[in-house]
Amino acid sequence: MDVRQSELIFAALENFRIELPSWGFASTGTRFGKFIQPAAATTTEEKFSDAGQVHLLTGVCPTVALHVLWDCPDGVRSTDDIKQYSDRHGVLPGSINPNLFHDQEYKFGSFGNPDADVRARALQHTKDSIEIARRLHSRDISMWFADGSNYPGTANIRQRKQWFTEVLQEAHAALSAGQQLLVEYKPFEPAFYHTDVADWGMALLLARAAGPQAKVLVDTGHHYAAQNIEQIVAWLLAENMLGGFHFNDRRYADDDLTIGSIDPYQVFRIFHEIRFFEWEVGKQADIAYMVDQSHNLKGKIEAMIQTVTMAQELFSKAALVNHTELVAAQKKCDLVKAESLLQDAFATDVRPAIREWRDSKGLPKNPMEAFRQSGYLERITKERSAKNSRNVTSYA
Ligand code: RM4
Ligand code: MN
Ligand code: MN
């Protein structure tokens, strides 16, 4: 690694921040059940505390995404408590995620529900979420919809598209200046025949119809296996419609595994498209990098530290691509040269430079080691295990 490369990495890391999901610290599972971890967080304050540890050790996770139903039990009134947790644990509330899939009312959908009362309820919850975001000074409201159907002929797809458009427009009208509505897409699950917002094209159309403060959110796990996600990213960047990411990795479907654990080159290619775009336009793209993972087997805090470390590594590798040379090679159709520029950057061991960067910031060079030595896990295990052992694991 030469000096120029370390400088590129230092500059890239300086502005790279990742938001942690509150739900990543709670006991989660699969549709077959939950495995309860003795140290898992069961309250919003515990989630802030755990996220605070990850930020303390990595220095790059200043915000926590909140799911309104899980983290704001008293709705708008919960914001005072949340401000206290935030002060106490050194992490700010980040994106606000309305929860439009958990309640019984949403069995047949939220914004696309044939029942106007349910749509109104979903809109009200979204407006409350926008108000929560306003009080917490959160910019982004992230909308993910479970809406869809399981059997052909059972839903009026065009009519539902229309309802979605209308309700999104009403939600958009409630935004303050500076706030953003992010529309997330997902091809299937929980709906297994059609999903109302199934891909980036549908999310893009809906975001455009909603209004100028709406953009698309790309969850890396929400694509069919062979899909070229970096191309979608490049197109959304070109359209100025890329609002943010939910990072995770997967082997089959929406597996919510640790970023880069299955296909690190995929994440590198996404970061490359972003860096390439930024180099061309001469400024940093305003993208919310968020994690959306659920670690039902790994220790949650360790998994988050691993996630952040991996994201920094892949982002740093992408920062090493020489864009001037890349443009020249692409112009000449020198395929091998162009491809090698990516491959060489990906193959570079960026870890020593990242350790130096951390050191320069007064952060532990090895956050995982620092966490394991901190005693935090032992302390919360002791404090939380009795409560966690009473947690329900059965679906019966
Ligand atoms: C969904 C989607 C959403 C997340 C929920 C819990 O699959 O990824 O972003 O909020 O899961
Ligand atoms: Mn997601
Ligand atoms: Mn998901």
Side-chain angles (χ1 to χ4, degrees):
M1 160 114 10
D2 57 39
V3 180
R4 195 190 55 91
Q5 287 182 313
S6 326
E7 279 171 10
L8 284 170
I9 293 174
F10 268 53
L13 292 178
E14 209 57 52
N15 295 316
F16 186 62
R17 295 290 175 274
I18 291 203
E19 180 163 305
L20 304 172
S22 70
W23 54 99
F25 297 101
S27 281
T28 46
T30 66
R31 64 198 170 102
F32 300 102
K34 277 207 272 190
F35 290 113
I36 302 300
Q37 294 192 13
T42 51
T43 64
T44 310
E45 170 147 31
E46 288 173 353
K47 295 171 195 171
F48 269 86
S49 171
D50 294 356
Q53 285 300 302
V54 179
H55 182 47
L56 186 73
L57 299 172
T58 63
V60 295
C61 307
T63 56
V64 197
L66 301 174
H67 241 292
V68 172
L69 198 69
W70 304 331
D71 298 321
C72 308
D74 298 321
V76 175
R77 273 174 313 184
S78 293
T79 51
D80 290 340
D81 288 340
I82 288 173
K83 282 183 193 156
Q84 280 185 25
Y85 308 151
S86 167
D87 289 345
R88 225 174 277 158
H89 301 289
V91 268
L92 294 166
S95 67
I96 301 301
N97 295 246
N99 190 312
L100 299 166
F101 50 89
H102 195 272
D103 286 359
Q104 293 300 313
E105 286 77 1
Y106 300 132
K107 181 173 178 181
F108 298 116
S110 60
F111 283 21
N113 196 301
D115 183 339
D117 289 345
V118 180
R119 294 201 299 283
R121 183 194 154 107
L123 174 62
Q124 189 53 50
H125 176 71
T126 306
K127 284 183 174 168
D128 291 347
S129 303
I130 292 170
E131 178 57 25
I132 288 172
R134 198 173 0 251
R135 291 192 190 189
L136 295 176
H137 309 290
S138 293
R139 183 188 64 172
D140 297 329
I141 295 93
S142 302
M143 312 290 302
W144 173 68
F145 304 95
D147 288 56
S149 66
N150 275 0
Y151 299 98
T154 58
N156 185 334
I157 294 173
R158 279 177 295 105
Q159 172 65 77
R160 289 172 72 102
K161 172 176 176 287
Q162 183 55 33
W163 285 327
F164 257 88
T165 304
E166 286 164 13
V167 186
L168 274 169
Q169 282 169 345
E170 288 184 66
H172 188 283
L175 294 173
S176 298
Q179 284 192 311
Q180 261 189 176
L181 208 58
L182 302 181
V183 182
E184 184 173 354
Y185 58 91
K186 175 169 175 169
F188 66 90
E189 191 206 25
F192 289 116
Y193 169 63
H194 106 279
T195 293
D196 285 295
V197 193
D199 66 24
W200 73 279
M202 299 177 197
L204 177 66
L205 288 176
L206 286 174
R208 284 234 167 98
Q213 288 164 246
K215 287 191 171 170
V216 177
L217 187 150
V218 177
D219 184 313
T220 45
H222 293 187
H223 301 88
Y224 293 113
Q227 229 163 349
N228 184 335
I229 303 173
E230 62 270 26
Q231 183 184 5
I232 295 171
V233 168
W235 276 59
L236 289 173
L237 281 167
E239 294 292 321
N240 190 26
M241 286 301 282
L242 180 63
F245 281 96
H246 273 176
F247 279 119
N248 50 61
D249 210 343
R250 57 83 177 279
R251 181 67 184 81
Y252 299 102
D254 188 23
D255 307 344
D256 282 343
L257 301 179
T258 316
I259 186 175
S261 57
I262 304 292
D263 187 358
Y265 195 41
Q266 160 85 82
V267 185
F268 166 86
R269 294 191 308 265
I270 291 173
F271 284 148
H272 162 63
E273 286 304 331
I274 295 168
R275 303 276 318 176
F276 193 19
F277 170 83
E278 292 179 333
W279 174 78
E280 254 175 35
V281 299
K283 66 172 185 350
Q284 207 185 322
D286 193 359
I287 302 167
Y289 295 116
M290 302 177 268
V291 174
D292 184 5
Q293 291 174 182
S294 117
H295 307 108
N296 57 333
L297 304 177
K298 280 179 178 170
K300 286 149 201 314
I301 301 173
E302 288 193 357
M304 282 304 172
I305 294 173
Q306 197 185 23
T307 299
V308 175
T309 303
M310 178 58 79
Q312 285 181 310
E313 286 177 20
L314 296 167
F315 195 73
S316 299
K317 285 169 187 276
L320 297 182
V321 175
N322 186 322
H323 300 120
T324 314
E325 287 182 24
L326 183 67
V327 169
Q330 288 178 346
K331 207 167 169 189
K332 279 192 288 181
C333 293
D334 186 345
L335 311 188
V336 171
K337 171 73 183 172
E339 188 188 18
S340 304
L341 285 165
L342 266 66
Q343 289 174 332
D344 290 345
F346 184 64
T348 309
D349 185 2
V350 294
R351 292 172 298 182
I354 297 176
R355 280 197 286 271
E356 288 316 309
W357 179 79
R358 289 191 186 124
D359 201 37
S360 78
K361 298 282 163 196
L363 296 162
K365 284 187 176 188
N366 183 336
M368 189 70 81
E369 222 21 70
F371 176 68
R372 289 193 167 187
Q373 279 165 19
S374 70
Y376 182 84
L377 185 61
E378 290 73 12
R379 177 165 71 75
I380 59 167
T381 305
K382 230 171 148 180
E383 285 170 9
R384 300 176 187 173
S385 58
K387 190 156 58 149
N388 273 313
S389 69
R390 291 191 295 270
N391 214 320
V392 186
T393 62
S394 161
Y395 277 21

